[in-house]
Amino acid sequence: MKILLFFLWIPYFACSQPQENDWVKEYQEDYKNVVKNFYTLLYNEKTNNQKLSEIYWDATLDSGMFKKMKPYLKELTGGLSKDEIFKIIDKAEISDEGLKFGVYIEMSFSGAKRIYFELGSKDLPTIIQYIWLSDGALLGSKVRNESPTQKLLLVGISNVKDGYTNVREAPSNEAKVIDKITDKEYFYYVPNSNSDWVQVSRKDDIKAIIGYVYKSQIIKYFEMPNEIQKKVAKERKSD
């Protein structure tokens, strides 16, 4: 009887753990190899915009993208060698953020700096759609001097159990509390490595930003309990 109960407990326990879509796990090395291909071009002095656009879709929108990216090379590389970058890519987190298609690769540099690569297919991708910088801004948007700059929105939940997280009018503990987010609901936030505070929204819409939340109070999508991941995925895929 004890043996039977043990084997019944194993699948229950496994199902209660955070899980990404199977294809994220199945192809994670392929996703990372696409990012490695990007950096191989980035470190090659002979690379031109045509070669870059073959692997980076946003570069197709601007014929001078490769040259215009140069002011952002330090942020993209952290001043590291290609081999050091590859080690970071190998350790990078991958998340589908509950979407039908596409994945995000989070690269963590020293000093808590993070940048994000967005790949647009759940199958074997060969191209990067977008690159999001450490303040959550779209690289292509900055290069093209767009106003306002496009920002990345990721999914999060509050880590304050049986309570709520204050949403403040400004990025400060002294700022007015203008809203509250409970630990039972998910929200969207702009990742920002340059601040302890991030902008948040109740909708997947950068125009619907409601205020600021302290960054340490956020649980990322790939860290969420499985039941909340399923809820997020179900609602996002029905949109």
Side-chain angles (χ1 to χ4, degrees):
M1 186 65 173
K2 290 183 178 179
I3 295 176
L4 177 61
L5 288 173
F6 175 76
F7 281 104
L8 287 173
W9 175 80
I10 290 176
Y12 172 81
F13 176 78
C15 291
S16 67
Q17 302 307 299
Q19 296 179 358
E20 283 279 357
N21 283 334
D22 290 340
W23 48 264
V24 174
K25 294 179 180 179
E26 182 179 354
Y27 298 131
Q28 61 178 325
E29 293 307 316
D30 298 288
Y31 300 140
K32 290 179 178 181
N33 283 337
V34 174
V35 178
K36 286 181 179 179
N37 290 341
F38 168 82
Y39 276 101
T40 297
L41 289 177
L42 203 61
Y43 280 88
N44 188 342
E45 295 180 357
K46 296 182 179 179
T47 296
N48 54 36
N49 207 77
Q50 181 178 350
K51 289 182 178 179
L52 184 68
S53 63
E54 291 173 0
I55 194 169
Y56 177 31
W57 179 83
D58 212 7
T60 64
L61 303 181
D62 190 329
S63 60
M65 181 73 158
F66 187 68
K67 289 183 179 180
K68 293 178 182 178
M69 282 172 52
K70 289 188 176 180
Y72 303 97
L73 287 181
K74 186 174 181 180
E75 186 167 358
L76 289 170
T77 65
L80 302 175
S81 68
K82 187 177 74 171
D83 289 341
E84 289 172 320
I85 289 288
F86 279 19
K87 290 178 181 178
I88 291 176
I89 295 172
D90 288 336
K91 296 178 181 178
E93 297 286 356
I94 301 180
S95 172
D96 68 0
E97 293 293 304
L99 296 170
K100 282 183 180 179
F101 305 104
V103 295
Y104 295 88
I105 297 180
E106 177 186 295
M107 287 182 56
S108 300
F109 293 92
S110 60
K113 293 288 184 181
R114 290 178 171 82
I115 61 174
Y116 299 82
F117 288 81
E118 182 178 346
L119 284 69
S121 172
K122 74 175 185 179
D123 298 317
L124 290 175
T126 59
I127 193 167
I128 295 163
Q129 280 197 308
Y130 303 110
I131 300 172
W132 307 88
L133 300 175
S134 60
D135 62 350
L138 181 67
L139 171 61
S141 186
K142 280 193 169 183
V143 165
R144 292 186 290 271
N145 293 315
E146 294 176 351
S147 182
T149 303
Q150 295 183 54
K151 295 288 186 75
L152 173 63
L153 284 173
L154 299 177
V155 184
I157 58 172
S158 169
N159 64 5
V160 181
K161 293 184 178 179
D162 300 320
Y164 57 83
T165 294
N166 289 325
V167 180
R168 298 186 180 272
E169 191 173 37
S172 167
N173 282 321
E174 306 302 320
K176 180 182 178 181
V177 175
I178 56 176
D179 204 344
K180 298 179 186 293
I181 296 175
T182 72
D183 62 335
K184 307 298 181 185
E185 57 184 322
Y186 68 89
F187 55 90
Y188 299 89
Y189 67 96
V190 178
N192 187 351
S193 304
N194 306 323
S195 172
D196 290 330
W197 296 82
V198 295
Q199 293 178 298
V200 295
S201 171
R202 293 185 182 277
K203 300 178 181 179
D204 188 7
D205 183 356
I206 195 65
K207 296 179 181 178
I209 291 293
I210 57 175
Y212 295 82
V213 162
Y214 201 63
K215 189 162 56 179
S216 65
Q217 294 183 332
I218 295 177
I219 297 176
K220 300 175 183 179
Y221 178 79
F222 59 81
E223 299 170 331
M224 293 179 187
N226 191 39
E227 62 271 17
I228 299 181
Q229 280 191 0
K230 287 182 177 179
K231 177 185 177 182
V232 172
K234 181 178 179 180
E235 293 183 8
R236 295 199 80 184
K237 289 172 182 175
S238 66
D239 291 341

